[in-house]
Amino acid sequence: MTDPTPTLERWRAVDHYLTDTLVGSDAALESAIAAQNAADLPSIEVSALSGKFLNLLARLCGATRILEIGTLGAYSTIWLARALPAGGQVVTIEAEPEIAALARENLSRAGVAHLVEVVIGRGAQVLPTLVGAGPFDLVFIDADKESNTIYLDWAARLGHPGTVVVVDNVVRSGRVVTAGADDTQVQGVKAGLQMLADDPRFDATALQTLDRKGWDGIAVAVLTEDVRI
Ligand code: DHB
Ligand code: MG
């Protein structure tokens, strides 16, 4: 029997294999990452396979309005925008003006700038201003983990029954079960997961991922009939 331990080397090889097989190369996405690296931003964009997963989820739920919290270099934003029909829109929130400018350049280069509004500000400040811009059919939460419960609450308020909510980084190399109270990011992640379990507006699960970023995971939820629109 082969060793079932997921070694770093082997899971990276599998990630490359699946990416090469199912995603392939993509000039717009690769240049978005190159621009992000050139600006010395952290390489924490979702993997290619996860980006495509977001794209497929958006198409599966027929999303025409998508909300993203945490833009960075707009890598996931490009994947989400590509899922939209004509007339659809992604609203994406980025706290840092210089990063938002880079994101806009990347969106233009990818040919999807007309489908995306990049809003500059902290999520907690921007989200209440989006009440008239909803409802959103898919919400992707990928910003400061400490605020995950705030973001989930706004996802529910700005969504409708059936809205899909995805939360990135819910495993954090397994720290979700080992971290102490001083790890505020993991405490934020855990508070968000507990909210997904307890709050009747959500029905959720989570998937662990092993990819080029290491060991992490996403939570995926649907908004229930308990959300009011
Ligand atoms: C971090 C944040 C992310 O959104 C991510 O996907 C990976 C890492 C971080 O803050 O370390
Ligand atoms: Mg993330």
Side-chain angles (χ1 to χ4, degrees):
M1 221 174 78
T2 52
D3 179 2
T5 309
T7 60
L8 182 75
E9 189 183 39
R10 203 154 359 122
W11 92 54
R12 284 201 177 139
V14 171
D15 189 53
H16 280 135
Y17 163 69
L18 293 175
T19 303
D20 290 348
T21 305
L22 297 168
V23 183
S25 66
D26 187 309
L29 291 167
E30 281 153 26
S31 79
I33 290 173
Q36 187 175 288
N37 292 343
D40 275 334
L41 292 172
S43 301
I44 56 171
E45 74 284 350
V46 299
S47 70
L49 291 163
S50 293
K52 188 156 185 185
F53 181 69
L54 290 171
N55 174 282
L56 293 171
L57 268 184
R59 289 154 59 194
L60 283 165
C61 70
T64 64
R65 302 198 55 72
I66 296 174
L67 174 62
E68 178 180 61
I69 307 169
T71 314
L72 194 64
Y75 180 83
S76 48
T77 324
I78 293 168
W79 275 113
L80 289 167
R82 286 176 172 176
L84 290 172
Q89 191 182 39
V90 179
V91 176
T92 184
I93 303 172
E94 173 52 53
E96 301 295 332
E98 312 82 59
I99 300 179
L102 178 92
R104 288 191 179 115
E105 285 170 25
N106 284 341
L107 291 162
S108 293
R109 247 194 314 269
V112 294
H114 61 293
L115 296 167
V116 181
E117 187 185 354
V118 183
V119 184
I120 299 171
R122 308 285 317 169
Q125 262 83 58
V126 171
L127 287 161
T129 72
L130 297 181
V131 171
F136 294 95
D137 310 305
L138 185 146
V139 182
F140 179 47
I141 298 173
D142 190 17
D144 57 306
K145 314 308 169 194
E146 290 85 348
S147 303
N148 273 5
T149 56
I150 295 170
Y151 300 151
L152 284 167
D153 182 53
W154 278 106
R157 293 186 200 208
L158 297 171
H160 55 76
T163 289
V164 173
V165 182
V166 181
V167 186
D168 198 24
N169 310 118
V170 300
V171 174
R172 317 259 10 192
S173 302
R175 293 206 309 282
V176 71
V177 294
T178 58
D182 57 324
D183 189 332
T184 57
Q185 291 193 354
V186 171
Q187 294 312 321
V189 165
K190 291 178 73 168
L193 290 168
Q194 198 60 54
M195 182 171 173
L196 288 174
D198 295 342
D199 187 322
R201 295 175 298 175
F202 301 96
D203 198 12
T205 190
L207 299 170
Q208 299 193 55
T209 51
L210 279 177
D211 58 35
R212 87 168 171 78
K213 289 167 66 182
W215 177 22
D216 213 326
I218 53 168
V220 182
V222 67
L223 296 184
T224 69
E225 296 296 327
D226 284 343
V227 296
R228 285 172 293 145
I229 49 173

